[in-house]
């Protein structure tokens, strides 16, 4: 069975400092992994995706994530936080690239202090 | 095309009433998904369609829930005899899945259901 665990329910950083949102996954098959962001009163937006190509994946707004099979991790990072990054972030897993059942983590709320 | 559209955006209903939500996917997308999101949780998968065929249903989708996509375009999600535990945000997403290409899922803004 597939699952994701987001290790922090809330992360708070200062503007201009690095962001690290942690995600571990469990999958019996070769997984596809995604990070989605949800701003208040807006729909979920895809930040980036891993589908068995390069292990370091670059996404929108300066975010990137690295797939580490040995650690079953897919942590999201950004070198310098911006106020507009404050939102809820979800790590998501599915089987291969079929885009079937997307399994979401519980989310990490990112706060950015000025 | 302005993306995935869901109506209504908000719905308040009395316990025991039936409600129906509509989702209009991105026009060229052949897959359509329904998710439910409660406060403080990530979205939970309910069901998905490939064209008009309902290919997978979650155990969360009790017999009070029914989803349709009759012409392979828009979809409806009906909840019969609503209960307070049905209060949640109902999210719709669509994607394209083909032999040579799969797109990511694009989400609508959701329908927030409150059962009083």
């Amino acid at each position: 069975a597939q699952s994701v665990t987001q290790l922090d329910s809330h992360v708070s950083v200062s503007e201009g400092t690095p962001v690290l949102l942690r995600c571990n996954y469990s999958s019996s098959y070769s997984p596809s992994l995604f990070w989605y962001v949800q701003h208040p009163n807006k729909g979920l937006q895809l930040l980036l995706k891993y589908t068995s190509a390069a292990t370091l994946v670059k996404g929108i707004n300066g975010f990137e994530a690295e797939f580490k099979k040995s650690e079953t991790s897919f942590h999201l990072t950004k070198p310098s936080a911006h106020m507009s990054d404050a939102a809820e972030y979800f790590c998501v897993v599915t089987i291969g690239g079929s885009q079937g059942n997307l399994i979401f983590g519980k989310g990490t709320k990112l706060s950015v202090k000025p | 095309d302005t993306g995935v559209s869901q109506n209504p955006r908000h719905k308040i209903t009395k316990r025991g009433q039936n409600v129906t939500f509509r989702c209009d996917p991105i026009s060229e997308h052949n897959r359509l998904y329904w998710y439910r999101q409660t406060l403080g949780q990530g979205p939970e998968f309910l069901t998905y369609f490939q064209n008009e065929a309902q290919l997978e249903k979650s155990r969360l989708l009790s017999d009070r829930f029914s989803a349709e996509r009759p012409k392979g375009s828009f979809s409806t999600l009906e909840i019969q005899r609503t209960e307070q535990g049905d209060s949640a945000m109902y999210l719709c997403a669509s994607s394209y899945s083909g032999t040579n290409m799969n797109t990511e899922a694009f989400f609508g803004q959701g329908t927030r259901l409150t059962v009083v």
Side-chain angles (χ1 to χ4, degrees):
Chain A
Q2 290 65 241
S3 67
V4 288
T5 301
Q6 292 184 243
L7 298 166
D8 306 292
S9 59
H10 191 194
V11 169
S12 182
V13 300
S14 297
E15 190 175 21
T17 64
V19 175
L20 170 64
L21 305 183
R22 298 182 294 165
C23 172
N24 286 103
Y25 71 91
S26 172
S27 177
S28 305
Y29 304 93
S30 177
S32 290
L33 292 156
F34 310 80
W35 277 97
Y36 277 83
V37 61
Q38 188 175 37
H39 287 92
N41 300 317
K42 292 192 175 180
L44 286 155
Q45 181 185 19
L46 180 70
L47 274 179
L48 50 79
K49 62 181 177 182
Y50 165 78
T51 55
S52 77
T55 56
L56 181 62
V57 181
K58 293 187 185 298
I60 61 172
N61 300 334
F63 284 94
E64 61 182 40
E66 186 171 7
F67 173 72
K68 292 187 177 180
K69 187 175 181 179
S70 61
E71 299 177 9
T72 61
S73 69
F74 190 59
H75 301 333
L76 181 71
T77 60
K78 183 174 180 177
S80 176
H82 191 272
M83 295 297 291
S84 62
D85 294 329
E88 188 96 25
Y89 291 80
F90 294 97
C91 183
V92 182
V93 67
T94 190
I95 303 173
S98 66
Q99 290 278 349
N101 181 353
L102 297 174
I103 299 169
F104 282 74
K106 292 190 176 183
T108 298
K109 184 175 181 180
L110 175 65
S111 299
V112 182
K113 297 175 290 188
Chain B
D1 196 340
T2 56
V4 178
S5 177
Q6 291 188 246
N7 288 288
R9 293 289 310 280
H10 299 90
K11 178 71 178 178
I12 300 174
T13 191
K14 291 184 178 180
R15 191 174 53 183
Q17 297 295 303
N18 298 345
V19 294
T20 300
F21 310 139
R22 177 180 169 123
C23 173
D24 288 274
I26 293 172
S27 58
E28 62 267 26
H29 285 182
N30 54 5
R31 285 197 173 183
L32 186 147
Y33 312 79
W34 285 100
Y35 286 79
R36 180 174 70 185
Q37 185 177 20
T38 53
L39 205 60
Q41 300 295 318
E44 298 171 296
F45 171 77
L46 293 179
T47 187
Y48 92 93
F49 294 83
Q50 173 105 358
N51 300 311
E52 65 274 9
Q54 189 171 19
L55 295 189
E56 189 175 346
K57 294 198 299 185
S58 162
R59 289 183 303 237
L60 292 174
L61 212 66
S62 76
D63 56 6
R64 296 185 298 105
F65 287 70
S66 63
E68 294 183 342
R69 195 184 183 198
K71 298 181 180 178
S73 57
F74 74 91
S75 175
T76 58
L77 177 67
E78 182 183 17
I79 309 174
Q80 295 182 324
R81 305 180 302 282
T82 52
E83 302 172 356
Q84 286 188 320
D86 297 331
S87 295
M89 177 75 85
Y90 289 84
L91 297 168
C92 177
S94 70
S95 70
Y96 177 80
S97 179
T99 307
N100 298 315
M101 189 183 82
N102 295 306
T103 71
E104 69 266 26
F106 292 81
F107 282 80
Q109 291 187 262
T111 295
R112 182 169 295 284
L113 173 66
T114 303
V115 181
V116 297

